[in-house]
PDB file of all heavy atoms in Angstrom:
ATOM      1  N   TYR A 381      -4.010   0.632   0.435  1.00 96.00           N
ATOM      2  CA  TYR A 381      -4.949  -0.209  -0.318  1.00 96.00           C
ATOM      3  C   TYR A 381      -4.277  -0.716  -1.578  1.00 96.00           C
ATOM      4  O   TYR A 381      -3.232  -0.266  -2.014  1.00 96.00           O
ATOM      5  CB  TYR A 381      -6.326   0.500  -0.523  1.00 96.00           C
ATOM      6  CG  TYR A 381      -6.472   1.459  -1.686  1.00 96.00           C
ATOM      7  CD1 TYR A 381      -7.539   1.325  -2.495  1.00 96.00           C
ATOM      8  CD2 TYR A 381      -5.621   2.559  -1.943  1.00 96.00           C
ATOM      9  CE1 TYR A 381      -7.835   2.201  -3.553  1.00 96.00           C
ATOM     10  CE2 TYR A 381      -5.873   3.441  -2.934  1.00 96.00           C
ATOM     11  CZ  TYR A 381      -6.970   3.297  -3.761  1.00 96.00           C
ATOM     12  OH  TYR A 381      -7.248   4.207  -4.803  1.00 96.00           O
ATOM     13  N   THR A 382      -4.893  -1.779  -2.183  1.00 96.00           N
ATOM     14  CA  THR A 382      -4.144  -2.582  -3.075  1.00 96.00           C
ATOM     15  C   THR A 382      -5.015  -3.375  -4.072  1.00 96.00           C
ATOM     16  O   THR A 382      -6.267  -3.586  -3.844  1.00 96.00           O
ATOM     17  CB  THR A 382      -3.239  -3.621  -2.372  1.00 96.00           C
ATOM     18  OG1 THR A 382      -2.465  -4.343  -3.213  1.00 96.00           O
ATOM     19  CG2 THR A 382      -4.144  -4.586  -1.593  1.00 96.00           C
ATOM     20  N   LEU A 383      -4.467  -3.688  -5.205  1.00 96.00           N
ATOM     21  CA  LEU A 383      -5.003  -4.694  -6.135  1.00 96.00           C
ATOM     22  C   LEU A 383      -4.344  -6.070  -5.887  1.00 96.00           C
ATOM     23  O   LEU A 383      -4.692  -7.036  -6.497  1.00 96.00           O
ATOM     24  CB  LEU A 383      -4.775  -4.338  -7.612  1.00 96.00           C
ATOM     25  CG  LEU A 383      -5.393  -3.016  -8.068  1.00 96.00           C
ATOM     26  CD1 LEU A 383      -5.073  -2.764  -9.526  1.00 96.00           C
ATOM     27  CD2 LEU A 383      -6.883  -3.017  -7.930  1.00 96.00           C
ATOM     28  N   LEU A 384      -3.448  -6.141  -4.976  1.00 94.00           N
ATOM     29  CA  LEU A 384      -2.579  -7.281  -4.597  1.00 94.00           C
ATOM     30  C   LEU A 384      -1.422  -7.438  -5.552  1.00 94.00           C
ATOM     31  O   LEU A 384      -0.345  -6.847  -5.338  1.00 94.00           O
ATOM     32  CB  LEU A 384      -3.455  -8.539  -4.420  1.00 94.00           C
ATOM     33  CG  LEU A 384      -2.584  -9.715  -3.814  1.00 94.00           C
ATOM     34  CD1 LEU A 384      -2.018  -9.317  -2.466  1.00 94.00           C
ATOM     35  CD2 LEU A 384      -3.468 -10.948  -3.660  1.00 94.00           C
ATOM     36  N   ASN A 385      -1.600  -8.140  -6.664  1.00 93.00           N
ATOM     37  CA  ASN A 385      -0.421  -8.269  -7.586  1.00 93.00           C
ATOM     38  C   ASN A 385      -0.393  -7.035  -8.450  1.00 93.00           C
ATOM     39  O   ASN A 385      -1.303  -6.189  -8.560  1.00 93.00           O
ATOM     40  CB  ASN A 385      -0.607  -9.418  -8.515  1.00 93.00           C
ATOM     41  CG  ASN A 385      -0.271 -10.802  -7.870  1.00 93.00           C
ATOM     42  OD1 ASN A 385      -0.952 -11.244  -7.021  1.00 93.00           O
ATOM     43  ND2 ASN A 385       0.839 -11.382  -8.185  1.00 93.00           N
ATOM     44  N   ARG A 386       0.743  -6.824  -9.105  1.00 95.00           N
ATOM     45  CA  ARG A 386       0.948  -5.839 -10.119  1.00 95.00           C
ATOM     46  C   ARG A 386      -0.242  -5.958 -11.214  1.00 95.00           C
ATOM     47  O   ARG A 386      -0.366  -6.982 -11.805  1.00 95.00           O
ATOM     48  CB  ARG A 386       2.285  -5.777 -10.778  1.00 95.00           C
ATOM     49  CG  ARG A 386       2.478  -4.736 -11.818  1.00 95.00           C
ATOM     50  CD  ARG A 386       3.911  -4.830 -12.354  1.00 95.00           C
ATOM     51  NE  ARG A 386       4.895  -4.312 -11.452  1.00 95.00           N
ATOM     52  CZ  ARG A 386       5.718  -5.148 -10.812  1.00 95.00           C
ATOM     53  NH1 ARG A 386       5.671  -6.536 -10.948  1.00 95.00           N
ATOM     54  NH2 ARG A 386       6.650  -4.758  -9.919  1.00 95.00           N
ATOM     55  N   PHE A 387      -1.045  -4.948 -11.340  1.00 97.00           N
ATOM     56  CA  PHE A 387      -2.181  -4.949 -12.306  1.00 97.00           C
ATOM     57  C   PHE A 387      -3.211  -5.950 -11.848  1.00 97.00           C
ATOM     58  O   PHE A 387      -4.197  -6.315 -12.568  1.00 97.00           O
ATOM     59  CB  PHE A 387      -1.803  -5.257 -13.697  1.00 97.00           C
ATOM     60  CG  PHE A 387      -1.108  -4.043 -14.401  1.00 97.00           C
ATOM     61  CD1 PHE A 387       0.247  -3.878 -14.400  1.00 97.00           C
ATOM     62  CD2 PHE A 387      -1.906  -3.053 -15.018  1.00 97.00           C
ATOM     63  CE1 PHE A 387       0.847  -2.777 -15.032  1.00 97.00           C
ATOM     64  CE2 PHE A 387      -1.322  -1.995 -15.617  1.00 97.00           C
ATOM     65  CZ  PHE A 387       0.057  -1.828 -15.590  1.00 97.00           C
ATOM     66  N   GLY A 388      -3.230  -6.388 -10.601  1.00 97.00           N
ATOM     67  CA  GLY A 388      -4.296  -7.217 -10.068  1.00 97.00           C
ATOM     68  C   GLY A 388      -4.484  -8.527 -10.838  1.00 97.00           C
ATOM     69  O   GLY A 388      -3.612  -9.207 -11.175  1.00 97.00           O
ATOM     70  N   SER A 389      -5.746  -8.734 -11.168  1.00 97.00           N
ATOM     71  CA  SER A 389      -6.143  -9.841 -11.991  1.00 97.00           C
ATOM     72  C   SER A 389      -5.836  -9.642 -13.468  1.00 97.00           C
ATOM     73  O   SER A 389      -5.926 -10.644 -14.255  1.00 97.00           O
ATOM     74  CB  SER A 389      -7.708 -10.079 -11.795  1.00 97.00           C
ATOM     75  OG  SER A 389      -8.396  -8.894 -12.292  1.00 97.00           O
ATOM     76  N   GLY A 390      -5.452  -8.463 -13.868  1.00 98.00           N
ATOM     77  CA  GLY A 390      -5.218  -8.129 -15.248  1.00 98.00           C
ATOM     78  C   GLY A 390      -6.439  -7.853 -15.998  1.00 98.00           C
ATOM     79  O   GLY A 390      -6.437  -7.612 -17.239  1.00 98.00           O
ATOM     80  N   VAL A 391      -7.616  -7.769 -15.288  1.00 98.00           N
ATOM     81  CA  VAL A 391      -8.951  -7.621 -15.885  1.00 98.00           C
ATOM     82  C   VAL A 391      -9.322  -6.113 -15.727  1.00 98.00           C
ATOM     83  O   VAL A 391      -9.326  -5.608 -14.639  1.00 98.00           O
ATOM     84  CB  VAL A 391      -9.955  -8.422 -15.259  1.00 98.00           C
ATOM     85  CG1 VAL A 391     -11.401  -8.093 -15.685  1.00 98.00           C
ATOM     86  CG2 VAL A 391      -9.760  -9.937 -15.565  1.00 98.00           C
ATOM     87  N   VAL A 392      -9.620  -5.392 -16.888  1.00 98.00           N
ATOM     88  CA  VAL A 392     -10.345  -4.177 -16.884  1.00 98.00           C
ATOM     89  C   VAL A 392     -11.725  -4.346 -17.253  1.00 98.00           C
ATOM     90  O   VAL A 392     -12.007  -4.911 -18.416  1.00 98.00           O
ATOM     91  CB  VAL A 392      -9.648  -3.188 -17.842  1.00 98.00           C
ATOM     92  CG1 VAL A 392     -10.477  -1.916 -17.966  1.00 98.00           C
ATOM     93  CG2 VAL A 392      -8.240  -2.793 -17.316  1.00 98.00           C
ATOM     94  N   LEU A 393     -12.691  -4.048 -16.360  1.00 98.00           N
ATOM     95  CA  LEU A 393     -14.170  -4.177 -16.728  1.00 98.00           C
ATOM     96  C   LEU A 393     -14.467  -3.253 -17.911  1.00 98.00           C
ATOM     97  O   LEU A 393     -14.207  -1.983 -17.771  1.00 98.00           O
ATOM     98  CB  LEU A 393     -14.994  -3.870 -15.519  1.00 98.00           C
ATOM     99  CG  LEU A 393     -14.769  -4.738 -14.360  1.00 98.00           C
ATOM    100  CD1 LEU A 393     -15.730  -4.445 -13.207  1.00 98.00           C
ATOM    101  CD2 LEU A 393     -14.838  -6.259 -14.709  1.00 98.00           C
ATOM    102  N   PRO A 394     -14.913  -3.797 -19.022  1.00 98.00           N
ATOM    103  CA  PRO A 394     -15.116  -2.959 -20.254  1.00 98.00           C
ATOM    104  C   PRO A 394     -15.994  -1.744 -20.113  1.00 98.00           C
ATOM    105  O   PRO A 394     -15.685  -0.692 -20.602  1.00 98.00           O
ATOM    106  CB  PRO A 394     -15.718  -3.979 -21.178  1.00 98.00           C
ATOM    107  CG  PRO A 394     -15.255  -5.336 -20.723  1.00 98.00           C
ATOM    108  CD  PRO A 394     -15.293  -5.159 -19.292  1.00 98.00           C
ATOM    109  N   GLN A 395     -17.084  -1.861 -19.368  1.00 98.00           N
ATOM    110  CA  GLN A 395     -18.045  -0.773 -19.265  1.00 98.00           C
ATOM    111  C   GLN A 395     -17.639   0.347 -18.344  1.00 98.00           C
ATOM    112  O   GLN A 395     -18.075   1.486 -18.551  1.00 98.00           O
ATOM    113  CB  GLN A 395     -19.460  -1.290 -18.861  1.00 98.00           C
ATOM    114  CG  GLN A 395     -20.146  -2.185 -19.889  1.00 98.00           C
ATOM    115  CD  GLN A 395     -21.519  -2.530 -19.437  1.00 98.00           C
ATOM    116  OE1 GLN A 395     -22.433  -1.775 -19.593  1.00 98.00           O
ATOM    117  NE2 GLN A 395     -21.715  -3.845 -18.883  1.00 98.00           N
ATOM    118  N   THR A 396     -16.763   0.046 -17.357  1.00 98.00           N
ATOM    119  CA  THR A 396     -16.508   1.073 -16.348  1.00 98.00           C
ATOM    120  C   THR A 396     -15.054   1.421 -16.347  1.00 98.00           C
ATOM    121  O   THR A 396     -14.633   2.404 -15.748  1.00 98.00           O
ATOM    122  CB  THR A 396     -16.823   0.519 -14.951  1.00 98.00           C
ATOM    123  OG1 THR A 396     -16.132  -0.693 -14.714  1.00 98.00           O
ATOM    124  CG2 THR A 396     -18.355   0.295 -14.829  1.00 98.00           C
ATOM    125  N   GLY A 397     -14.161   0.634 -17.079  1.00 98.00           N
ATOM    126  CA  GLY A 397     -12.682   1.016 -17.111  1.00 98.00           C
ATOM    127  C   GLY A 397     -12.062   0.671 -15.753  1.00 98.00           C
ATOM    128  O   GLY A 397     -10.864   1.184 -15.573  1.00 98.00           O
ATOM    129  N   ILE A 398     -12.609  -0.112 -14.909  1.00 98.00           N
ATOM    130  CA  ILE A 398     -12.067  -0.341 -13.556  1.00 98.00           C
ATOM    131  C   ILE A 398     -11.165  -1.576 -13.676  1.00 98.00           C
ATOM    132  O   ILE A 398     -11.484  -2.645 -14.102  1.00 98.00           O
ATOM    133  CB  ILE A 398     -13.081  -0.678 -12.464  1.00 98.00           C
ATOM    134  CG1 ILE A 398     -14.042   0.556 -12.317  1.00 98.00           C
ATOM    135  CG2 ILE A 398     -12.496  -0.975 -11.168  1.00 98.00           C
ATOM    136  CD1 ILE A 398     -15.272   0.298 -11.535  1.00 98.00           C
ATOM    137  N   LEU A 399      -9.882  -1.374 -13.263  1.00 98.00           N
ATOM    138  CA  LEU A 399      -8.886  -2.444 -13.115  1.00 98.00           C
ATOM    139  C   LEU A 399      -9.181  -3.339 -11.846  1.00 98.00           C
ATOM    140  O   LEU A 399      -9.172  -2.675 -10.799  1.00 98.00           O
ATOM    141  CB  LEU A 399      -7.524  -1.932 -13.175  1.00 98.00           C
ATOM    142  CG  LEU A 399      -6.337  -2.898 -13.132  1.00 98.00           C
ATOM    143  CD1 LEU A 399      -6.303  -3.932 -14.276  1.00 98.00           C
ATOM    144  CD2 LEU A 399      -4.993  -2.176 -13.130  1.00 98.00           C
ATOM    145  N   MET A 400      -9.379  -4.557 -11.907  1.00 98.00           N
ATOM    146  CA  MET A 400      -9.842  -5.372 -10.822  1.00 98.00           C
ATOM    147  C   MET A 400      -8.640  -6.043 -10.113  1.00 98.00           C
ATOM    148  O   MET A 400      -7.725  -6.493 -10.733  1.00 98.00           O
ATOM    149  CB  MET A 400     -10.862  -6.287 -11.292  1.00 98.00           C
ATOM    150  CG  MET A 400     -12.153  -5.620 -11.843  1.00 98.00           C
ATOM    151  SD  MET A 400     -12.968  -4.549 -10.707  1.00 98.00           S
ATOM    152  CE  MET A 400     -13.739  -5.744  -9.588  1.00 98.00           C
TER     153      MET A 400
END
Side-chain angles (χ1 to χ4, degrees):
Y381 83 132
T382 185
L383 298 179
L384 191 53
N385 284 71
R386 181 180 287 105
F387 284 94
S389 61
V391 168
V392 170
L393 300 183
Q395 295 186 75
T396 59
I398 299 171
L399 181 59
M400 299 299 286

